[in-house]
Structures are given as C-alpha cells and as structure tokens.
C-alpha cells in the first residue's frame, strides 16, 4: 500500500535490470552550488520518487563541511527528534533550523539565519521502505555562504522641500508640489548579482514592517519599473517617476503631492542571484529610512480676508473692494494655480449670490452674467491682493459682497484639479437711491373706436426728484382676453421709446402698423392703425427713468405703471356712419322715437356690443 512500484513475482534477471530505470527510488535536490548571504535565510528542497511502501517517507539531513569532507554532521530528521548533532541542537530547538514536510514524499530544510560555518555540502537521505535496494537514497547540493556587503542609505544632499534638522529628516511639502527622495544602494559581492530597489511609505506613527510598508514604486532585477496598486495610475500618468543616476544612486519623484502621501518613506534594496537551474533567488535585503514627510494641504492654509466695515457710495460714484488671499501657500506656477472672484447677493437674499467678476488661473478677467457691457475691472494689485472696481455704482449694486478664492494643483499633462476654496466674510455695500418717483396716466383718445379706424393711446408721465439729466423711456403693453377673461399669460410688448429716443416695436395682436412717438416732453403716444378685432385688449403704459454715468453706462433709477386702458374695436351698425337719430339705447331690439315739429321720426337701434354686461 502506498508503493509507486507494485509488488510482482520474481522475474528473470534481464527483465529486472530493465525495470530498475523506471521504478527505482530517486532523491532530488536543487542543482548546486547555491550562493547565499550570511545572516539571511535559505531553503533547500528534497523530493523522493520511485519508492515502495508507505506514502509517508522520512527525511534526514546531513552537512559535510569543507574542512572535514568525510564527516557527516546530522542536522535534523523527520523521524528522530534526537537526530541533531550538538552543534545544531540548540538551533533546531530554537526553530532556527527545521525540516518542514510539504507532502508525504517532499520536504524542505529551512535555516532562518545563515552562519559562515553553515557552508558545505548538504545531503538529503531517505531511509528505505522498499522491498529491495534499487536506485539512489540520497541527494547532495553544495551551499556557499557569502559575506553581507549590501549597503542602503539616504542619498545626500537629502530630499527636496522644507526640511527640519532631525534624523531621519522631517520634510514638509505643499499639496500639489513634487516630492523627491534619493537612495544609495551598493554591494561588493564577488559573484554576479542584481540589485532591486523600491521606495515605500508607512503611515505616520505606525511601526515599519512588511505588513505596514506600502510600496510606492520599485526597480525590479530585470530593470522593469512597477508601482504599488494605489500608485499605478500615477505612474502611468507620468506623475510618479523612478530613475537611476550613476551606478549607486536611485531617485523617486512623486508629483502632485496629496494628503494621503504623508508618512515615513523608506528605501529597500534586495540583492538577487541566478541559481544553476535558471531561477532567481533573493539573497539579501536592507532598508533605510529616508524622511518623515508631512503634506501641507491647501484647504488647511487657504484664507481670504476683506477690508473692515461697510462701504457707502452714491449712484454714479466708483466702488472699490479689496481682497487679500493669505496662508502658507506655494507660489503660483508649475505646481499650483489660483483664481479669485467677487460674488454679490442682494440684501436679505440667501446664499453667496451671483458672480460679479473674477480672474482665472491664467490671470484673465471675466464678468458674471448680467454685468456684461459695464465698466468693471478685476485686477491683481499686489502679490496676494486683488481689487474689484465698478466705475459707476448703481442702486442695484447694493448688497452683500464676498471674495471667493480657489486653489488648484497641477496633475499630469498640466491638468488642473481644484484642491481648496475659501470665501471671505460678508461685506455690506450701500448705494444711495436717487429718490425718483414716477406716475403715469394713460387713456384712449376720442373714447370709442371702430374697426378700420386708428386708435390713439396717450400716456402722461410726472417725475419727482432725481439728478439732472434724467432720461425717460416709455413702453406700451397689452393683455389679451380669452373667453371674456384676461389671459394668465404675461403682458405682450406692443412698442415703446427708449431713454436714448430710439423706438422699439413689439408684436401687435392684430398684426397691423404701429406708431410710437414722443408728443411732448413727458407725453407718449401709441397709435394702432386699421383696428381689427384681434386688437381688443387691456393696454397700459410703463415709463422708466434712466441715469447715464460718466462711463456712459445706463441704469434704471425708477419705474411706474399706468392704469388699464381698454381698447374694444366696435362695428358700425349702418355702414360707415352711425345713425342720425338720437335715441336711448335699449339692450336687445326695440323702438325709440322723438318729435320733430309735426313729423315723427322712428329709429330702430340694434346692440352690436359683445359682452355688454362687462362694459
């Protein structure tokens, strides 16, 4: 049971010799010589095949030292705990030397800390479980122990950044800046070996070990550059770089520093050698602390302040507001950029309000919606001081102003990423009102109008207060009826005259010609030619007062609305001329009469008014 070569009856000698090659015991160990470094660990495997008997084979390890090549020193055994010679006993008891069974017919000898006297020829012997002795029962491999010559240290002149005089150094970099660290790694091993160098990070205040050290980037023995999983995207984007400078110096550059990049950085060097079977084995490893790195985030530093108190200006006067951006911030340039703007909210309105003007990261100014065409300047007047200037303030400029600053860091390909923003405290701004009071009275000239005629609507405007040079504008609006009621739709512009005297025509309901004109200093007229039934509606006049400042900008200083004026195009009952008789109008159809001398004249009057009850 468990035999790899089944039992069989005795065979002729010729047939037995042929079977030896296929069913003989064979013990395999690695090809030698193996080169390892003192103080490091070594593992030597041993496998047995072609055996008979139990599937659970035993293994015994011996050492033949160069100074006594014939003396076999027992190291450790899988079947006898007292197998070790005195020179190995304490190390076996401490677990420094042990044999580990991988499976029934495979085991490995492990030495956790090589010593110089461990050099020699190692023999793996497997006690026989076979019915007859066929094949080999042991395998040998030579192990040579090399001195440890690997050295690792932080490369002078030290890492880039603001450095505190400590050992290891403490380095502070701004968010978005480059973190550059150097490492020296060398070896003088006499055999041909390769060095692999990697940079790693441990979170602050955590002991460094394989479980806590996060690899950032490394140079492999085959000279390939790889990054740890959290940094792979930054390596692919070009933000993370690793290069070799000369024969011993390695340099890591981590661009666009982030808050998560803070920690203790280490350089780890490993020495590799190629075994006779072609595989690569690590024979040494050293690690050095490079720096404790703190990343100063922009959000923790960015601050915005404005001048004290309130601002009070008159209409037409210039309004200037200053904003200062402070904090331990990197200068704008290759790694960081800033934008600054002003926002305004009317008094009592929630939120920061709408944008007035801003300077973007390239220093280009722009105005917010609703401020186009005005003389407004946004400029940088000092290193971190910005000024907003409105050449001519208006009453509508009154409100609460805030300065908004945003900080950006540059990623790969000069791509900007917003890293922080800050607003100033509210700054109240008051603009004195002009005190303009407007009143408007509108009416339909001539009373009733008939279809085909021209309707003339007049609007007289009265003004109280206001500065010299006040200009008036007036517009006419109509609301159309729908099924006897006024429409809920907004009023429709028919026409008007602006403060600059230029007429503006809207959409007349009937689609005919429209005339708008100024018939007096403060009197406006609207004429609807060739009235049709579609012109029926409720009209009103809306005057407004305007002031022009020195920068030629206009602002509205006041407005009013007249009462409603109903326009209903009547239809003639007797052709083009109304009846000549004077009569009392009777709703419906009836007769009215009056005496003229001895003659009596009778007039039949018909009511053609639509919805008379509403008139």
């Amino acid at each position: 049971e468990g035999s790899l070569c089944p039992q069989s009856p005795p065979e002729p000698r010729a047939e037995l010799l042929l079977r030896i090659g296929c069913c003989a015991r064979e013990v395999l160990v690695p090809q030698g010589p193996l080169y390892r470094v003192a103080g490091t660990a070594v593992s030597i495997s041993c496998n047995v095949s072609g055996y008979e008997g139990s599937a659970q084979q035993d293994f015994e390890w011996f050492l033949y030292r160069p100074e006594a090549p014939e003396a076999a020193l027992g190291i450790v055994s899988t079947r006898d705990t007292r197998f070790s010679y005195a020179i190995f006993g304490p190390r076996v008891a401490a677990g420094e030397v042990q044999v580990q069974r991988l499976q029934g017919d495979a085991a490995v000898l492990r030495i956790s800390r090589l010593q110089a006297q461990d050099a020699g020829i190692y023999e793996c012997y497997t006690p026989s479980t076979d019915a007859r002795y066929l094949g080999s029962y042991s395998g040998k491999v030579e192990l040579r122990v090399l001195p440890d010559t690997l050295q690792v240290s932080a490369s002078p002149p030290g890492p880039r950044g603001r450095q505190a005089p400590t050992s290891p150094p403490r380095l502070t970099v701004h968010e978005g800046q480059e973190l550059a660290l150097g490492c020296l790694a060398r070896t003088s091993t006499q055999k041909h070996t390769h060095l692999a160098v990697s940079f790693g990070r441990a979170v602050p205040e955590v002991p460094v070990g394989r479980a806590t050290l996060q690899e950032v980037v490394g140079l492999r023995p085959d000279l390939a550059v790889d990054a740890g999983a959290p940094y792979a995207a930054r390596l692919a984007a070009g933000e993370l770089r690793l290069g070799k400078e000369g024969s011993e110096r390695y340099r890591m550059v981590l661009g666009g520093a982030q808050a998560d990049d803070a920690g203790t950085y280490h350089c780890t060097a490993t020495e590799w050698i190629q075994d006779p079977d072609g595989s690569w084995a690590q024979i040494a490893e050293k690690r050095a602390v490079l720096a404790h790195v703190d990343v100063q985030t922009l959000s923790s530093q960015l601050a915005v302040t404005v001048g004290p108190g309130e601002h009070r200006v008159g209409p037409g006067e210039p309004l200037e507001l200053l904003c200062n951006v402070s904090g331990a911030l990197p200068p704008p340039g290759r790694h960081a950029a800033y934008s600054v703007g002003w926002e305004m909210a009317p008094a009592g309105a929630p939120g920061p309000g709408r944008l007035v003007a801003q300077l973007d990261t390239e220093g280009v100014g722009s105005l917010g919606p609703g401020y186009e065409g005005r003389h407004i300047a946004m400029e940088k007047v000092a290193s971190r001081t910005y000024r907003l200037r409105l050449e001519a303030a208006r009453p509508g400029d009154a409100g609460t102003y805030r300065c908004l600053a945003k900080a950006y860091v540059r990623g790969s390909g000069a791509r900007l990423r917003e890293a922080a923003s800050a607003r100033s405290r509210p700054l109240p701004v008051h603009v004195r009102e002009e005190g303009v009071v407007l009143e408007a009275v509108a009416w339909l000239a001539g009373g009733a109008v008939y279809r085909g005629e021209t309707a003339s609507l007049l609007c007289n405007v009265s003004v109280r207060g206001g500065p010299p040079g006040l200009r008036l504008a007036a517009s006419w609006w109509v609301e159309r009826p729908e099924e006897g009621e006024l429409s809920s739709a907004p009023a429709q512009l028919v026409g008007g005259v602006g403060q600059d005297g230029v007429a503006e025509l809207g959409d007349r309901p009937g689609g005919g010609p429209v005339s708008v004109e100024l018939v007096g200093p403060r009197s406006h007229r609207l004429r609807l030619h060739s009235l049709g039934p579609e012109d029926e509606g409720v009209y009103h006049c809306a005057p407004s007062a305007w002031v022009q400042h020195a920068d030629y900008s206009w602002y509205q200083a006041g407005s009013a609305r007249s009462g409603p004026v109903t326009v209903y195009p009547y239809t003639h009952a007797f052709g083009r001329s109304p009846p000549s008789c004077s009569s009392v109008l009777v709703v419906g159809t009836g007769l009215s009469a009056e005496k003229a001398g001895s003659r009596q004249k009778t007039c039949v009057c018909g009511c053609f008014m639509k919805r008379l009850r509403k008139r």
Side-chain angles (χ1 to χ4, degrees):
E1 180 181 354
S3 174
L4 296 184
C5 283
Q7 299 289 339
S8 58
E11 303 177 17
R13 180 175 179 82
E15 294 183 12
L16 181 62
L17 292 175
L18 291 174
R19 288 176 57 93
I20 290 177
C22 67
C23 291
R25 175 182 290 262
E26 183 179 16
V27 177
L28 295 177
V29 293
Q31 292 178 271
L34 301 178
Y35 292 90
R36 298 297 185 262
V37 172
T40 65
V42 65
S43 297
I44 305 175
S45 61
C46 181
N47 300 278
V48 59
S49 62
Y51 57 86
E52 296 177 345
S54 172
Q56 189 83 351
Q57 296 289 297
D58 283 307
F59 299 85
E60 296 177 347
W61 287 90
F62 297 89
L63 170 63
Y64 299 87
R65 285 179 170 170
E67 62 270 20
E70 301 300 327
L73 305 177
I75 304 173
V76 68
S77 169
T78 59
R79 66 174 181 172
D80 184 0
T81 57
R82 296 175 297 176
F83 179 82
S84 305
Y85 277 36
I87 57 174
F88 288 106
R91 297 173 70 185
V92 171
E96 181 181 326
V97 177
Q98 58 179 311
V99 60
Q100 181 182 356
R101 188 184 294 277
L102 302 179
Q103 58 188 39
D105 53 9
V108 62
L109 172 68
R110 299 188 189 278
I111 304 176
S112 60
R113 186 178 298 275
L114 275 178
Q115 301 175 5
Q117 62 266 28
D118 292 332
I121 295 177
Y122 284 77
E123 180 184 23
C124 175
Y125 173 74
T126 61
S128 175
T129 59
D130 307 329
R132 63 180 65 87
Y133 281 92
L134 293 175
S136 65
Y137 287 80
S138 68
K140 294 182 179 181
V141 59
E142 182 182 3
L143 174 66
R144 299 179 183 178
V145 180
L146 304 173
D148 185 3
T149 60
L150 181 62
Q151 298 179 11
V152 181
S153 63
S155 64
R160 180 196 301 172
R162 194 170 71 247
Q163 183 177 336
T166 60
S167 181
R170 181 166 290 276
L171 180 67
T172 300
V173 296
H174 290 287
E175 182 179 5
Q177 283 188 324
E178 284 187 348
L179 170 64
L181 298 172
C183 172
L184 285 176
R186 64 172 70 91
T187 183
S188 57
T189 302
Q190 297 303 312
K191 304 302 295 183
H192 177 69
T193 59
H194 285 187
L195 285 185
V197 176
S198 66
F199 290 79
R201 179 186 67 88
V203 296
E205 314 303 330
V206 173
V208 177
R210 288 187 177 272
T212 60
L213 190 63
Q214 169 64 60
E215 184 183 37
V216 178
V217 66
L219 183 67
R220 307 302 176 219
D222 59 357
L223 303 182
V225 176
D226 286 332
Y231 296 90
R234 296 170 75 176
L235 177 66
E239 289 184 6
L240 175 61
R241 304 185 300 277
L242 175 62
K244 185 176 182 181
E245 301 174 349
S247 59
E248 301 176 348
R249 189 171 189 268
Y250 300 83
R251 187 167 181 266
M252 179 198 76
V253 178
L254 182 60
Q258 304 172 10
D260 292 341
D261 295 330
T264 302
Y265 282 77
H266 300 256
C267 176
T268 302
T270 55
E271 189 173 6
W272 296 75
I273 194 169
Q274 192 171 29
D275 285 340
D277 64 359
S279 63
W280 286 90
Q282 178 181 318
I283 61 174
E285 179 180 281
K286 292 286 181 66
R287 181 179 296 120
V289 178
L290 302 181
H292 300 299
V293 176
D294 297 315
V295 178
Q296 197 168 71
T297 61
L298 295 176
S299 59
S300 67
Q301 297 297 316
L302 183 64
V304 183
T305 57
V306 293
E310 302 179 352
H311 285 253
R312 297 181 180 274
V313 295
E317 296 177 355
L319 171 64
E320 285 192 1
L321 303 176
L322 293 178
C323 168
N324 186 65
V325 179
S326 60
L329 302 172
R334 204 176 78 169
H335 304 301
Y338 304 92
S339 68
V340 178
W342 282 90
E343 299 170 324
M344 189 278 285
R354 62 176 182 172
L355 179 67
V356 179
Q358 72 170 356
L359 284 180
D360 64 14
T361 55
E362 301 296 328
V364 179
S366 61
L367 300 181
Y371 290 91
E372 301 88 345
R374 293 189 57 182
H375 287 251
I376 299 176
M378 180 74 187
E379 55 187 339
K380 185 176 182 180
V381 295
S383 174
R384 294 184 177 180
T385 303
Y386 299 82
R387 178 175 64 190
L388 171 68
R389 178 180 174 88
L390 284 70
E391 292 296 334
R394 306 175 180 180
D397 294 328
T400 301
Y401 286 72
R402 288 179 175 85
C403 182
L404 171 64
K406 295 182 179 181
Y408 301 83
V409 295
R410 297 189 185 276
S412 59
R415 172 179 53 88
L416 288 178
R417 173 181 61 86
E418 183 178 336
S421 64
R423 282 186 174 87
S424 70
R425 66 170 180 83
L427 180 62
V429 171
H430 304 278
V431 181
R432 293 191 304 272
E433 295 284 348
E434 290 288 359
V436 178
V437 178
L438 300 181
E439 292 183 356
V441 178
W443 70 96
L444 177 62
V449 290
Y450 293 87
R451 297 180 185 181
E453 296 180 348
T454 298
S456 294
L457 287 78
L458 296 174
C459 179
N460 285 346
V461 183
S462 61
V463 182
R464 295 197 307 273
L470 191 71
R471 298 282 189 91
L472 293 180
S475 56
W476 292 92
W477 302 80
V478 62
E479 297 172 86
R480 292 274 297 152
E482 291 182 0
E483 298 182 358
E485 302 290 340
L486 290 180
S487 170
S488 60
Q492 180 179 346
L493 176 67
V494 181
V497 177
Q499 72 272 15
D500 52 3
V502 177
E504 177 185 6
L505 299 181
D507 295 322
R508 176 181 167 183
V514 176
S515 300
V516 288
E517 54 191 331
L518 184 65
V519 295
R522 294 178 179 177
S523 182
H524 292 257
R525 180 170 63 185
L526 168 68
R527 290 194 292 179
L528 305 174
H529 303 277
S530 302
L531 275 179
E534 297 84 0
D535 294 315
E536 177 186 357
V538 177
Y539 292 71
H540 70 265
C541 171
S544 56
W546 295 81
V547 176
Q548 188 176 32
H549 291 308
D551 63 353
Y552 301 104
S553 64
W554 292 93
Y555 82 93
Q556 184 175 317
S559 62
R561 173 174 173 163
S562 73
V565 178
T566 299
V567 174
Y568 177 76
Y570 290 99
T571 302
H572 287 285
F574 300 94
R576 296 292 300 170
S577 301
S580 59
C581 61
S582 298
S583 62
V584 178
L585 182 61
V586 179
V587 178
T589 302
L591 300 175
S592 92
E594 66 175 3
K595 289 186 178 181
S598 61
R599 302 176 59 189
Q600 181 175 335
K601 188 161 48 178
T602 302
C603 180
V604 180
C605 300
C607 176
F608 294 93
M609 296 179 64
K610 295 169 63 177
R611 296 177 297 279
L612 183 61
R613 63 185 178 84
K614 294 183 178 297
R615 304 302 182 185

